Structure formats: C-alpha cells, structure tokens
Amino acid sequence: MKRLLGIGCALVALALALGPAAPSAQAQLIADKVDPALRDLMQADPLAPLPVIVEMQQPLPRSSARRTSIARSRPSTLLRFYGVPVAALSLVDSAAGFANAAGIEALNLAPTVAFIHHDATVGPRPSAAPPAPAAPDQVSSVYPQVVKANKVWEQGIAGGA
C-alpha cells in the first residue's frame, strides 16, 4: 500500500510538472472530474482509502490517433494501479473500489476517465411530514379491492383453516 501511495504521488507530481504553466487551469481540469463530496473527503484525510466509482469516457472511433496503454485500460485495471478494485460495473463502463487522495488524483489524470464518483451509501430521505393516516374503515374497505380478495369471496372461497 505504501508503494502504491508513493507511485501515485510520483505520478501526480510528474503530471503537475508537465502540465500547462497556469496552475489554476490545471487545478480546474482536475476538479472537473472528481465528485465535490469526494474532494472534501480527500482533503480531510489524504491517506484514507475512500470508496469510489471510476466512470470511463465513451470510446473514441477506431480511426482516431494511437492510444497509450493507460488510455486502453479498463476502469478496474486503472483501479488496480491506483487503488483497490472491488467490482467491475461493465454495464456502465465503470468500476467500484477504494483509493486514497493520491490515487484519485492519478485516476483523475487518466485521459479516458470521465468522472470519479464518491461511492456513498444512500437510502431514503425522510419527508418533511409523514402522510396522514387513513381512517380504519377506509383502509379496510379499499384493501380487499386492491388485493382482489372481493372477487375470491364472490366465488365462495373464504380461506382460513
């Protein structure tokens, strides 16, 4: 893991050194491909492995210029280099895994990466106010119609033991 962090840091430093002279343009390029929530987590703890989803750009036409080996890499291969892959999401040309801040910055520099999402756990959000409960007689009269119990009862089937 330390070797991976060292390689990731070296690649980020090299990319920043070879990038355009205007640092704000380079920073803007990097910020465009990283989820803002993920960027906040990266700044809070740069060494922590963070859950990410690496989304790839649409493939270029075959007649385009020659591509490097990183450009041809699949998202899980990129995660293997810069973090820890967990699952390939081939339906959406993405991969889920973990990477620290240096790994995420290195992934961000890969030309075929479209976006790096924070793989956050999501769930239902509480509504502003719970719905008003239905009157007991209203529920008991609607439920048999919804489950079509009334049609079964019309045939003389009542269920039970």
Side-chain angles (χ1 to χ4, degrees), residues 127-150:
S127 61
D137 61 336
Q138 180 185 10
V139 173
S140 62
S141 66
V142 173
Y143 182 77
Q145 293 172 0
V146 171
V147 298
K148 297 185 176 35
N150 54 346

Side-chain angles (χ1 to χ4, degrees), residues 27-99:
Q28 182 62 34
L29 174 68
I30 291 171
D32 285 345
K33 291 169 44 174
V34 177
D35 183 350
L38 182 59
R39 173 92 43 211
D40 291 342
L41 292 171
M42 291 166 56
Q43 291 172 352
D45 190 357
L47 298 178
L50 301 170
V52 296
I53 294 176
V54 178
E55 178 186 350
M56 302 302 281
Q57 295 204 18
Q58 295 298 318
L60 297 172
R62 293 237 184 238
S63 62
S64 66
R66 194 174 71 142
R67 299 177 207 159
T68 65
S69 62
I70 285 184
R72 287 190 300 256
S73 295
R74 303 300 335 137
S76 55
T77 304
L78 287 172
L79 265 173
R80 192 172 300 115
F81 284 128
Y82 303 117
V84 179
V86 174
L89 308 171
S90 58
L91 188 61
V92 290
D93 199 16
S94 302
F98 293 90

